[in-house]
Amino acid sequence: MDFYEKEQAFLADTRDIAPQDTPLKQGAPVPPPEKPVAPGTKVIRLPEPEMLADHEVSFLEMVELRASVRSYKDTPLSLKELSYLLWCTQGVKMPAPKGGSMRTVPSAGARHAFETYLYIQRVEGLAPGFYRYLAFEHMLLPLHLDEAAGEQFAASFRAKGAVEQSAVTFVWAANIARLAYVFGKRAYRYAFLDAGHVCENLYLAAWTLGAGCCAMGAFDDTAVDTVLGLDGGEEFAIYGATVGKAAGVGPTAGRKEMNV
Protein backbone atom coordinates (compact mmCIF):
# COMPACT_ATOMS: atom_id res chain seq x y z
CA MET A 1 0.00 0.00 0.00
CA ASP A 2 1.26 3.48 -0.91
CA PHE A 3 2.64 5.37 2.12
CA TYR A 4 -0.15 7.95 1.98
CA GLU A 5 -3.08 5.69 1.15
CA LYS A 6 -4.10 5.01 4.75
CA GLU A 7 -3.74 8.67 5.66
CA GLN A 8 -5.89 9.72 2.69
CA ALA A 9 -8.46 7.09 3.67
CA PHE A 10 -8.57 8.53 7.20
CA LEU A 11 -9.08 12.05 5.87
CA ALA A 12 -11.84 10.86 3.56
CA ASP A 13 -13.52 8.89 6.33
CA THR A 14 -13.53 11.89 8.68
CA ARG A 15 -14.46 14.59 6.17
CA ASP A 16 -18.11 14.93 7.21
CA ILE A 17 -18.52 17.91 9.58
CA ALA A 18 -22.17 17.13 10.36
CA PRO A 19 -22.59 13.34 10.49
CA GLN A 20 -26.09 12.03 11.11
CA ASP A 21 -25.11 8.85 12.95
CA THR A 22 -23.54 10.39 16.08
CA PRO A 23 -24.48 9.08 19.54
CA LEU A 24 -26.03 12.49 20.28
CA LYS A 25 -28.42 12.29 17.33
CA GLN A 26 -29.24 8.68 18.17
CA GLY A 27 -30.25 9.64 21.72
CA ALA A 28 -27.42 7.82 23.47
CA PRO A 29 -26.50 8.72 27.08
CA VAL A 30 -24.06 11.58 27.54
CA PRO A 31 -20.50 10.42 28.29
CA PRO A 32 -19.22 11.61 31.68
CA PRO A 33 -17.05 14.73 31.39
CA GLU A 34 -14.47 13.26 33.77
CA LYS A 35 -13.37 9.77 34.74
CA PRO A 36 -15.11 8.83 37.99
CA VAL A 37 -13.34 8.40 41.30
CA ALA A 38 -14.53 5.77 43.74
CA PRO A 39 -16.11 7.16 46.94
CA GLY A 40 -13.64 7.37 49.79
CA THR A 41 -10.61 7.54 47.51
CA LYS A 42 -7.79 9.71 48.84
CA VAL A 43 -7.40 12.92 46.85
CA ILE A 44 -5.14 15.96 47.28
CA ARG A 45 -6.64 19.42 47.27
CA LEU A 46 -4.71 21.97 45.22
CA PRO A 47 -4.47 25.70 45.99
CA GLU A 48 -7.62 27.28 44.58
CA PRO A 49 -7.23 29.20 41.28
CA GLU A 50 -8.47 32.45 42.78
CA MET A 51 -5.70 32.23 45.39
CA LEU A 52 -2.94 31.91 42.78
CA ALA A 53 -0.65 34.84 42.11
CA ASP A 54 -0.94 36.53 38.73
CA HIS A 55 2.20 37.13 36.67
CA GLU A 56 2.76 40.37 34.80
CA VAL A 57 4.48 39.70 31.50
CA SER A 58 5.12 41.36 28.18
CA PHE A 59 3.06 39.24 25.81
CA LEU A 60 5.19 39.95 22.74
CA GLU A 61 8.35 39.20 24.72
CA MET A 62 6.88 35.95 26.01
CA VAL A 63 5.86 34.80 22.53
CA GLU A 64 9.22 35.75 21.05
CA LEU A 65 11.24 33.99 23.75
CA ARG A 66 9.07 30.89 24.00
CA ALA A 67 11.19 27.86 23.16
CA SER A 68 11.45 24.17 23.95
CA VAL A 69 13.68 23.52 26.96
CA ARG A 70 14.93 20.00 27.63
CA SER A 71 17.39 20.52 30.49
CA TYR A 72 16.17 21.42 33.98
CA LYS A 73 17.55 22.42 37.34
CA ASP A 74 17.00 20.34 40.48
CA THR A 75 14.82 23.12 41.92
CA PRO A 76 11.36 21.72 42.70
CA LEU A 77 8.08 23.31 41.70
CA SER A 78 5.85 24.44 44.52
CA LEU A 79 2.35 23.03 44.89
CA LYS A 80 0.99 26.48 44.00
CA GLU A 81 3.03 26.48 40.79
CA LEU A 82 1.72 23.05 39.82
CA SER A 83 -1.81 24.21 40.60
CA TYR A 84 -1.22 27.23 38.36
CA LEU A 85 0.00 25.07 35.46
CA LEU A 86 -2.95 22.70 35.76
CA TRP A 87 -5.45 25.56 35.93
CA CYS A 88 -3.92 27.27 32.89
CA THR A 89 -4.04 24.08 30.82
CA GLN A 90 -7.31 22.38 31.80
CA GLY A 91 -9.00 24.54 34.44
CA VAL A 92 -12.81 24.31 34.42
CA LYS A 93 -14.56 27.68 34.49
CA MET A 94 -18.10 26.29 34.30
CA PRO A 95 -19.99 23.19 33.11
CA ALA A 96 -21.67 23.28 29.69
CA PRO A 97 -24.63 21.32 28.25
CA LYS A 98 -24.38 17.69 27.10
CA GLY A 99 -21.37 16.90 29.27
CA GLY A 100 -19.21 19.74 28.00
CA SER A 101 -17.36 22.41 29.94
CA MET A 102 -15.91 25.86 29.51
CA ARG A 103 -12.21 25.78 30.33
CA THR A 104 -9.07 27.87 30.08
CA VAL A 105 -8.34 26.37 26.64
CA PRO A 106 -10.57 25.91 23.59
CA SER A 107 -12.00 22.53 22.56
CA ALA A 108 -14.25 21.51 19.70
CA GLY A 109 -17.84 21.90 20.88
CA ALA A 110 -16.55 22.49 24.44
CA ARG A 111 -16.21 18.69 24.67
CA HIS A 112 -12.77 18.58 26.36
CA ALA A 113 -11.87 14.94 25.88
CA PHE A 114 -8.64 15.02 27.88
CA GLU A 115 -7.63 13.59 31.21
CA THR A 116 -4.34 15.01 32.49
CA TYR A 117 -1.86 12.50 33.90
CA LEU A 118 1.27 13.58 35.74
CA TYR A 119 4.59 11.90 36.40
CA ILE A 120 5.80 13.93 39.36
CA GLN A 121 9.41 13.85 40.51
CA ARG A 122 10.02 17.21 42.21
CA VAL A 123 7.00 19.06 43.56
CA GLU A 124 7.07 20.31 47.15
CA GLY A 125 4.73 18.35 49.41
CA LEU A 126 4.02 15.54 46.91
CA ALA A 127 5.53 12.08 46.89
CA PRO A 128 7.10 11.16 43.53
CA GLY A 129 4.83 9.05 41.37
CA PHE A 130 1.86 9.14 39.01
CA TYR A 131 -1.23 11.28 39.51
CA ARG A 132 -4.37 12.29 37.62
CA TYR A 133 -5.75 15.82 37.67
CA LEU A 134 -9.41 16.07 38.61
CA ALA A 135 -10.23 19.19 36.63
CA PHE A 136 -13.78 19.76 37.92
CA GLU A 137 -12.67 19.52 41.55
CA HIS A 138 -9.19 21.05 41.02
CA MET A 139 -7.63 18.17 42.93
CA LEU A 140 -5.02 15.49 42.37
CA LEU A 141 -5.74 11.77 42.47
CA PRO A 142 -2.65 9.71 43.42
CA LEU A 143 -2.36 6.64 41.18
CA HIS A 144 0.78 4.72 42.05
CA LEU A 145 4.29 5.44 43.26
CA ASP A 146 6.10 2.52 41.60
CA GLU A 147 9.74 3.48 40.90
CA ALA A 148 10.09 0.79 38.24
CA ALA A 149 7.03 2.18 36.46
CA GLY A 150 8.72 5.59 36.43
CA GLU A 151 11.78 4.12 34.74
CA GLN A 152 9.58 2.33 32.21
CA PHE A 153 7.64 5.54 31.59
CA ALA A 154 10.78 7.62 30.96
CA ALA A 155 12.19 4.97 28.63
CA SER A 156 8.99 5.16 26.55
CA PHE A 157 9.93 8.65 25.27
CA ARG A 158 12.49 9.37 22.60
CA ALA A 159 13.70 12.32 24.68
CA LYS A 160 14.18 10.09 27.72
CA GLY A 161 16.68 12.47 29.34
CA ALA A 162 14.20 15.35 29.44
CA VAL A 163 11.65 13.15 31.21
CA GLU A 164 14.23 11.96 33.71
CA GLN A 165 15.32 15.54 34.50
CA SER A 166 11.82 17.06 34.62
CA ALA A 167 10.06 18.16 37.76
CA VAL A 168 6.78 17.03 36.16
CA THR A 169 5.89 15.32 32.93
CA PHE A 170 2.35 15.96 31.69
CA VAL A 171 0.48 13.42 29.56
CA TRP A 172 -2.89 14.23 28.01
CA ALA A 173 -5.04 11.20 27.26
CA ALA A 174 -8.11 11.41 25.05
CA ASN A 175 -11.40 9.90 26.14
CA ILE A 176 -12.57 9.88 22.56
CA ALA A 177 -16.24 9.16 23.38
CA ARG A 178 -16.67 12.72 24.68
CA LEU A 179 -15.86 14.17 21.25
CA ALA A 180 -17.40 11.34 19.23
CA TYR A 181 -20.71 11.85 21.04
CA VAL A 182 -21.18 15.07 19.04
CA PHE A 183 -18.82 14.72 16.07
CA GLY A 184 -18.65 11.03 15.22
CA LYS A 185 -15.49 9.92 13.41
CA ARG A 186 -14.30 13.49 12.99
CA ALA A 187 -13.63 13.46 16.73
CA TYR A 188 -10.16 12.05 16.07
CA ARG A 189 -9.18 15.13 14.07
CA TYR A 190 -10.41 17.45 16.80
CA ALA A 191 -8.63 15.54 19.55
CA PHE A 192 -5.23 16.14 17.99
CA LEU A 193 -6.03 19.80 17.35
CA ASP A 194 -7.20 20.27 20.95
CA ALA A 195 -3.97 18.77 22.28
CA GLY A 196 -2.00 21.56 20.62
CA HIS A 197 -4.11 24.24 22.35
CA VAL A 198 -3.45 22.68 25.75
CA CYS A 199 0.28 22.23 25.30
CA GLU A 200 0.83 25.79 24.07
CA ASN A 201 -0.87 27.09 27.21
CA LEU A 202 1.56 24.96 29.24
CA TYR A 203 4.55 26.46 27.41
CA LEU A 204 3.40 30.02 28.10
CA ALA A 205 2.29 29.41 31.69
CA ALA A 206 5.57 27.62 32.51
CA TRP A 207 7.57 30.54 31.09
CA THR A 208 5.89 32.98 33.47
CA LEU A 209 7.17 30.81 36.36
CA GLY A 210 10.76 30.69 35.12
CA ALA A 211 10.23 27.08 34.06
CA GLY A 212 11.03 25.42 30.78
CA CYS A 213 8.72 23.15 28.81
CA CYS A 214 9.20 20.68 25.97
CA ALA A 215 6.38 19.03 24.03
CA MET A 216 6.69 15.26 23.67
CA GLY A 217 5.02 13.59 20.71
CA ALA A 218 7.59 10.85 20.10
CA PHE A 219 6.75 8.09 22.56
CA ASP A 220 5.82 4.42 22.60
CA ASP A 221 2.03 4.63 22.74
CA THR A 222 1.50 1.14 24.11
CA ALA A 223 4.13 1.53 26.83
CA VAL A 224 2.80 4.90 28.03
CA ASP A 225 -0.81 3.67 27.96
CA THR A 226 0.20 0.60 29.95
CA VAL A 227 1.98 2.56 32.70
CA LEU A 228 -0.98 4.92 33.01
CA GLY A 229 -3.57 2.11 32.99
CA LEU A 230 -5.20 3.18 29.71
CA ASP A 231 -6.84 0.73 27.32
CA GLY A 232 -5.34 2.38 24.22
CA GLY A 233 -8.71 2.46 22.45
CA GLU A 234 -11.41 4.30 24.35
CA GLU A 235 -8.71 6.22 26.21
CA PHE A 236 -5.22 6.74 24.81
CA ALA A 237 -2.22 9.00 25.40
CA ILE A 238 -2.11 11.65 22.70
CA TYR A 239 0.56 14.16 23.76
CA GLY A 240 3.03 14.87 26.54
CA ALA A 241 5.30 17.63 27.84
CA THR A 242 8.10 17.94 30.35
CA VAL A 243 8.37 20.90 32.75
CA GLY A 244 11.09 22.02 35.12
CA LYS A 245 12.82 25.12 36.44
CA ALA A 246 15.50 26.20 33.98
CA ALA A 247 18.28 28.77 33.74
CA GLY A 248 17.68 31.78 31.50
CA VAL A 249 13.92 31.24 31.29
CA GLY A 250 11.12 33.56 32.40
CA PRO A 251 10.15 37.22 32.51
CA THR A 252 13.25 38.47 34.36
CA ALA A 253 15.68 36.44 32.27
CA GLY A 254 13.79 37.41 29.14
CA ARG A 255 14.12 41.13 29.80
CA LYS A 256 17.85 40.79 30.34
CA GLU A 257 18.22 38.92 27.06
CA MET A 258 16.07 41.42 25.18
CA ASN A 259 18.21 44.32 26.46
CA VAL A 260 21.56 42.86 25.40
Side-chain angles (χ1 to χ4, degrees):
M1 178 176 284
D2 178 82
F3 179 77
Y4 295 105
E5 280 187 33
K6 287 185 177 180
E7 287 71 18
Q8 291 299 322
F10 167 77
L11 292 175
D13 201 31
T14 59
R15 196 174 299 277
D16 189 355
I17 62 172
Q20 297 302 308
D21 59 349
T22 65
L24 170 62
K25 291 181 178 176
Q26 293 175 349
V30 177
E34 183 176 75
K35 287 178 69 174
V37 177
T41 302
K42 177 187 175 184
V43 294
I44 299 168
R45 187 174 297 278
L46 292 165
E48 294 295 333
E50 58 267 23
M51 301 300 291
L52 300 175
D54 196 4
H55 298 270
E56 277 195 34
V57 297
S58 163
F59 182 75
L60 288 177
E61 179 184 297
M62 178 171 63
V63 171
E64 181 176 351
L65 295 177
R66 184 221 59 79
S68 293
V69 178
R70 298 172 178 83
S71 295
Y72 309 109
K73 299 189 291 187
D74 291 336
T75 308
L77 294 176
S78 70
L79 194 60
K80 278 190 175 181
E81 288 173 326
L82 179 61
S83 175
Y84 172 81
L85 295 176
L86 289 166
W87 170 253
C88 289
T89 52
Q90 280 289 275
V92 177
K93 295 187 284 187
M94 61 183 294
K98 301 181 177 67
S101 55
M102 306 303 293
R103 304 199 187 191
T104 53
V105 291
S107 173
R111 301 306 301 158
H112 293 286
F114 298 135
E115 297 285 346
T116 302
Y117 292 88
L118 305 167
Y119 174 49
I120 290 177
Q121 298 187 94
R122 290 188 304 280
V123 173
E124 293 172 354
L126 294 179
F130 292 89
Y131 296 76
R132 176 162 64 91
Y133 175 48
L134 306 179
F136 282 84
E137 299 84 359
H138 198 63
M139 295 179 179
L140 285 181
L141 172 67
L143 298 177
H144 54 84
L145 310 176
D146 185 348
E147 185 174 337
E151 294 172 0
Q152 179 186 346
F153 177 79
S156 303
F157 290 81
R158 180 177 293 176
K160 174 185 175 183
V163 177
E164 290 175 332
Q165 286 188 30
S166 71
V168 183
T169 296
F170 288 64
V171 173
W172 299 285
N175 274 259
I176 201 64
R178 294 180 202 161
L179 277 164
Y181 180 75
V182 175
F183 300 112
K185 293 179 181 179
R186 198 172 175 88
Y188 287 90
R189 289 199 193 196
Y190 294 147
F192 286 93
L193 293 171
D194 284 358
H197 304 320
V198 176
C199 193
E200 184 66 3
N201 265 32
L202 182 62
Y203 265 95
L204 300 180
W207 188 88
T208 69
L209 299 176
C213 176
C214 184
M216 297 280 175
F219 55 85
D220 183 325
D221 295 57
T222 300
V224 172
D225 286 345
T226 298
V227 171
L228 298 178
L230 314 180
D231 63 16
E234 294 182 6
E235 184 182 18
F236 54 93
I238 197 169
Y239 209 9
T242 52
V243 175
K245 291 296 180 75
V249 175
T252 303
R255 292 189 183 102
K256 289 178 182 176
E257 292 172 13
M258 294 283 284
N259 291 330
V260 170

